[in-house]
Amino acid sequence: MDNVAIQLSGVSKSYPGFELEDVSFQLPGGYIMGLVGPNGAGKTTIIRIMMNLARADSGQVSIFGLDNVAHENEVKRRIGYVPEHHNFYDEMTVGWMARFVRQYYPSWDQSYFDALAARFGIDVNKKAGALSKGNRSKLSLALAMAHRPELLILDEPTSGLDPVVRRELLAELLDFMGDGERSVLFSTHITSDLDRVADYITIIVDGRIHASDEKDVLLERARKDEPTASIEDILISAARGGEAR
Amino acid sequence: MDIAISPNNPVPMYQQIVDQVTALILSGELKPGDPLPSIRKLAADLLASVITTRRAYADLEAEGLIVTRPGLGTFVADLTPEDLERLKDRAVIGHLADAVRAGRNLGLRDKEIVKLLYDVLDRGIERG
């Protein structure tokens, strides 16, 4: 698997009071990357630039080897995106939502969506507004997965969920990965989700990349000093201004 | 395959997989020629990353405990009973060497270390 799912090169963007500076990292196809950082570090901005919902001032984003702006439609058809805040039509049913999303994706697999909804315990006849918080997250994920995208981009998918539901979602993600044809970028500040499943970790602090490497490599380096170091410890030391790699 | 790993264990996750698969093979629970799950299947079962699981399989393969047959999958290596004995000895010798090192570091003479080993054998390891 020498294909590259995501490649960011020198991406910069400034808003009043916030700056994303020279962000570069790469996710090889077939793996899960965790994008971690404190609130306000720039995770969501990076994801919005990747989805062409925000424009970078400079730098380049390439997804599946294609420029994400020049080839926006093709790229987006091959991505499943779960934004931080789920925008559902609360008055409409889950089944209606699925039909609504389906029209944008030629590769939509209705039986897969139905199977996911069943596995997640979501009643397709229920109104979206009547779903619990956990079920809203699960529905969002099911809607993003049902066209079997090659890349899932998840912005804080587990935030606000209880540990049992988080564990279910992680298991579903690993199942979705299949034989290595799919990749996942997963932003979170709940680093314990990544201790298990992430292949790569990118740590972002104050709009800059602090480290981007294989998780096992980052852990091994940190555990030379502190034998029980976790991703959380690495993030905290990075946020306190610890030495970058 | 009945193994469980935890990210909170200071032993790296790939090493936890290596240790537990090794134990299953040396104890005979997994027999020569038995199939192992694919890397991606095992990663999904354990909720571990693919890279972690791949590294564990690479280490097990380097130690001659498992073999990967392209297109067929991964299997427990065709270890002879002598191989198994040798590997078991090696696994135990490593721990005994640690114990000897710990004893010598504390200034015990070898004779005293041997005596302690007999004490442990007599009393059982639980209280050892």
Side-chain angles (χ1 to χ4, degrees), chain B residues 38-56:
Chain B
S38 72
I39 287 171
R40 290 198 176 260
K41 171 80 168 58
L42 183 60
D45 288 349
L46 296 176
L47 281 188
S49 87
V50 170
I51 288 181
T52 297
T53 313
R54 178 173 300 139
R55 171 153 182 196

Side-chain angles (χ1 to χ4, degrees), chain A residues 90 128 136:
Chain A
D90 283 345
R136 284 172 78 83

Side-chain angles (χ1 to χ4, degrees), chain A residues 17-187:
Chain A
F18 173 75
E19 195 175 12
L20 203 62
E21 200 181 311
D22 194 22
V23 167
S24 304
F25 63 83
Q26 178 180 316
L27 172 61
Y31 295 103
I32 298 179
M33 174 181 277
L35 182 61
V36 303
N39 289 326
K43 303 186 294 292
T44 295
T45 303
I46 290 175
I47 286 176
R48 288 176 54 82
I49 289 172
M50 288 173 53
M51 293 304 295
N52 201 26
L53 298 168
R55 294 297 284 267
D57 298 337
S58 59
Q60 220 193 359
V61 177
S62 130
I63 296 179
F64 316 124
L66 301 169
D67 183 277
N68 77 321
V69 179
H71 297 90
E72 179 171 4
N73 284 343
E74 180 187 346
V75 164
K76 281 192 175 173
R77 259 203 290 278
R78 295 161 68 185
I79 293 179
Y81 170 49
V82 177
E84 190 175 8
H85 302 288
H86 315 303
N87 295 309
F88 296 145
Y89 294 100
D90 283 345
E91 289 308 309
M92 307 309 273
T93 64
V94 169
W96 185 92
M97 290 283 309
R99 287 191 294 280
F100 178 78
V101 173
R102 179 170 69 187
Q103 59 190 321
Y104 297 103
Y105 295 102
S107 59
W108 182 272
D109 181 341
Q110 186 63 37
S111 60
Y112 183 43
F113 177 82
D114 292 339
L116 284 170
R119 256 204 316 271
F120 288 162
I122 299 171
D123 178 356
V124 294
N125 298 313
K126 221 170 181 178
K127 285 184 178 176
L131 297 177
S132 68
K133 184 158 190 180
N135 276 355
R136 284 172 78 83
S137 294
K138 288 173 173 174
L139 172 59
S140 207
L141 191 63
L143 289 171
M145 286 163 71
H147 68 284
R148 299 191 178 272
E150 291 157 66
L151 171 63
L152 264 182
I153 296 180
L154 314 172
D155 196 356
E156 298 273 1
T158 56
S159 121
L161 301 182
D162 70 57
V164 176
V165 175
R166 293 218 316 269
R167 189 58 78 88
E168 281 172 16
L169 288 184
L170 294 183
E172 203 57 59
L173 270 191
L174 284 170
D175 190 55
F176 166 84
M177 295 296 290
D179 269 333
E181 63 273 29
R182 302 202 183 85
S183 316
V184 176
L185 179 77
F186 180 145
S187 91

Side-chain angles (χ1 to χ4, degrees), chain A residues 37-38 203-206 210 232-242:
Chain A
I203 298 176
I204 177 157
V205 177
D206 286 339
H210 176 81
E232 179 169 277
D233 298 323
I234 298 173
L235 172 60
I236 289 170
S237 106
R240 285 183 179 152

